[in-house]
Amino acid sequence: TLEDDITAVFMEILNARLRIVKWALKDQSKGGVTAAGNPGERDLVIANDTATLTIFEAVIVRDPVSWKKVQDDLTNHFVKLFSYGGCPAYFHVTYVMTNELVNIVEQLKLIARATALNGFTFVNLDVLPFVDSGPSGFTATYQSGKGDRQVHFLILDLSMDVEKSAAKQAD
């Protein structure tokens, strides 16, 4: 439920920007398919009329990224993106609640390069430039029979370790 709460705030920020272009933002919408054959529950979707422009999948990391369950969770959320519908761009959003930001970014890069997706071939990885207080991240590009697909990995540091340390030092 915390993931849904954080995503709801994220959605409000995006909504303010998307109103200008009259795109619709939907949360927890059904689409694509799960392993059981049911419709998937996508965290966020940006649509223009009936066309899906992008799909967001969010995940919280609270435990060390060296744990297999954390690595599996990050990988599963990545793979789910492709099962939730076809679109040119996807967003894998990681809410970090540990002091392992750098390790999580490296693990996500490994997942992006090494996870075999049926019908997709990894092409390249571009690190997103750090702007102001924006999130860390990178873009992975894949080729498929239906054209290139990009996954934008955004990593939001919600642990605020640096800020908390500076506040303690200032006190």
Side-chain angles (χ1 to χ4, degrees):
T1 59
L2 181 59
E3 177 191 307
D4 292 344
D5 293 342
I6 297 168
T7 300
V9 172
F10 190 51
M11 180 176 143
E12 289 305 315
I13 294 167
L14 284 173
N15 253 335
R17 300 287 187 179
L18 295 175
R19 283 189 193 120
I20 296 167
V21 292
K22 298 185 176 108
W23 289 351
L25 186 60
K26 306 170 190 173
D27 69 332
Q28 304 300 322
S29 67
K30 300 289 186 183
V33 65
T34 66
N38 302 315
E41 189 171 283
R42 306 170 300 185
D43 289 330
L44 288 176
V45 173
I46 297 175
N48 184 4
D49 197 21
T50 59
T52 299
L53 301 176
T54 190
I55 298 169
F56 289 71
E57 182 63 20
V59 59
I60 291 178
V61 176
R62 292 184 181 96
D63 297 317
V65 74
S66 60
W67 291 9
K68 185 173 180 350
K69 74 173 193 148
V70 173
Q71 294 170 10
D72 290 348
D73 201 26
L74 289 169
T75 302
N76 290 338
H77 279 76
F78 166 66
V79 173
K80 278 197 284 186
L81 279 168
F82 294 89
S83 72
Y84 284 165
C87 55
Y90 301 90
F91 285 84
H92 183 287
V93 183
T94 305
Y95 304 130
V96 177
M97 303 188 125
T98 71
N99 62 356
E100 291 197 36
L101 181 66
V102 172
N103 294 337
I104 291 167
V105 171
E106 291 308 310
Q107 182 64 40
L108 288 168
K109 287 179 181 177
L110 177 66
I111 290 167
R113 286 184 183 109
T115 303
L117 297 164
N118 291 336
F120 292 89
T121 304
F122 173 78
V123 176
N124 68 344
L125 190 140
D126 295 309
V127 175
L128 298 175
F130 181 77
V131 179
D132 300 325
S133 61
S136 300
F138 60 92
T139 298
T141 302
Y142 301 87
Q143 285 182 331
S144 77
K146 296 182 179 181
D148 286 356
R149 302 284 191 256
Q150 290 187 320
V151 179
H152 305 285
F153 288 81
L154 300 179
I155 301 97
L156 286 81
D157 184 3
L158 301 181
S159 69
M160 298 179 62
D161 288 332
V162 171
E163 293 84 352
K164 289 175 184 175
S165 176
K168 285 180 184 176
Q169 186 176 349
D171 190 20

